[in-house]
Amino acid sequence: MILSYSTHKKWILTNSGIKIIATQSPIAFRDLVQAFQCQNEMIICTNDSYDSLDIAKTFDFVGDPLLSGDIIKKYMSNILNSYIANINENNRNRIFTALQNLEVAIDDSLMLEDLPLIIKFDDDLKKLLKFFDLHIDYEITKSPYAIIEMIFKIYQSCNLKSIPVMCNSTHYLEQDQLLELSSLAKQMKMMVVLLEFASPDLLVVPEGVQFYYIDQDLIDLY
């Protein structure tokens, strides 16, 4: 995959793993963040044969793991669909049997009321899970590392194909944590882009991680 930003050198992203694009230029960082959100056209993306790729379909702008709010919530629809698609017949039947028993219990209680009350149960499993507020246990995703790791796991579990783009993730990670995430991305055969606003002397780039840098004067440093 090839990324072209304005008049700068092309970024060639190969294979899976973490790719770091960093800058000390507010202009460049703003352009890149907005481009991955499809708010400008400062980035052009092509495959290795130079066929154009749609930024919106190719990338998934996740944002800052701490400052962008609940970044996991937007994946709940994918998680829900994946769960329903993969639940085995035995568990599905157990759920609906329990639901039927609940319906009978409520019907029996309504017979004691003076008003002609009735209920209508829907056997739509998706609606049922939404009613029970299916969600990720946020107690295990309080640290930035855990949040990023969870995004990786969601991508693998739900078989998502776009490339997640995260901002300033290295600000929250120890060197060994970044190494672990880099290794995890390769194991899962995922490509992940980290956009970083930092000076090069403050960045720790793990060995084998592709790294591109634009300094405060908009000069490419590789």
Side-chain angles (χ1 to χ4, degrees):
M1 178 182 296
I2 302 169
L3 287 179
S4 302
Y5 164 52
S6 187
T7 59
H8 295 268
K9 296 179 181 177
K10 291 180 173 58
W11 301 324
I12 301 175
L13 309 182
T14 59
N15 303 318
S16 58
I18 288 177
K19 320 296 177 182
I20 297 178
I21 301 175
T23 183
Q24 203 174 355
S25 165
I27 295 173
F29 190 71
R30 178 202 63 202
D31 285 348
L32 294 173
V33 169
Q34 291 180 341
F36 281 113
Q37 294 183 88
C38 300
Q39 295 178 7
N40 65 35
E41 298 180 355
M42 300 298 291
I43 287 181
I44 296 174
C45 181
T46 66
N47 61 22
D48 294 340
S49 300
Y50 290 94
D51 297 318
S52 180
L53 298 176
D54 187 337
I55 293 288
K57 295 179 180 178
T58 305
F59 296 95
D60 169 28
F61 187 82
V62 179
D64 187 299
L66 283 189
L67 303 180
S68 295
D70 185 0
I71 62 176
I72 293 177
K73 186 176 182 179
K74 73 172 185 173
Y75 298 105
M76 283 312 305
S77 178
N78 301 104
I79 295 170
L80 186 60
N81 291 335
S82 177
Y83 171 79
I84 292 174
N86 293 299
I87 188 173
N88 61 50
E89 194 64 25
N90 181 55
N91 283 330
R92 184 185 295 272
N93 290 336
R94 287 178 60 199
I95 291 172
F96 286 128
T97 297
L99 184 61
Q100 290 169 358
N101 291 334
L102 177 61
E103 181 179 10
V104 170
I106 295 177
D107 268 337
D108 289 345
S109 70
L110 291 177
M111 292 176 64
L112 303 176
E113 299 295 320
D114 292 333
L115 300 175
L117 302 174
I118 60 173
I119 57 172
K120 181 180 180 181
F121 268 81
D122 195 328
D123 60 358
D124 186 324
L125 186 53
K126 180 179 291 188
K127 289 182 180 179
L128 181 63
L129 291 171
K130 287 182 178 180
F131 174 77
F132 281 108
D133 190 23
L134 177 72
H135 62 275
I136 295 293
D137 182 359
Y138 297 112
E139 287 298 315
I140 64 173
T141 57
K142 287 186 174 180
S143 74
Y145 176 88
I147 293 171
I148 297 170
E149 183 184 37
M150 184 59 64
I151 295 294
F152 285 16
K153 290 180 178 179
I154 290 171
Y155 259 74
Q156 184 181 52
S157 177
C158 299
N159 195 30
L160 302 181
K161 300 301 184 183
S162 57
I163 299 171
V165 179
M166 303 183 190
C167 295
N168 295 325
S169 300
T170 63
H171 292 196
Y172 309 117
L173 301 173
E174 301 291 342
Q175 183 176 2
D176 60 334
Q177 292 178 319
L178 189 56
L179 282 168
E180 289 174 9
L181 289 174
S182 176
S183 176
L184 183 61
K186 290 179 181 178
Q187 290 174 20
M188 294 180 171
K189 297 182 179 179
M190 284 179 58
M191 184 182 293
V192 182
V193 174
L194 302 185
L195 293 181
E196 304 295 326
F197 186 79
S199 60
D201 56 313
L202 295 178
L203 277 172
V204 177
V205 181
E207 184 178 353
V209 170
Q210 285 185 277
F211 174 64
Y212 301 98
Y213 194 84
I214 298 173
D215 73 7
Q216 59 188 353
D217 297 318
L218 295 175
I219 298 175
D220 298 302
L221 302 175
Y222 289 70

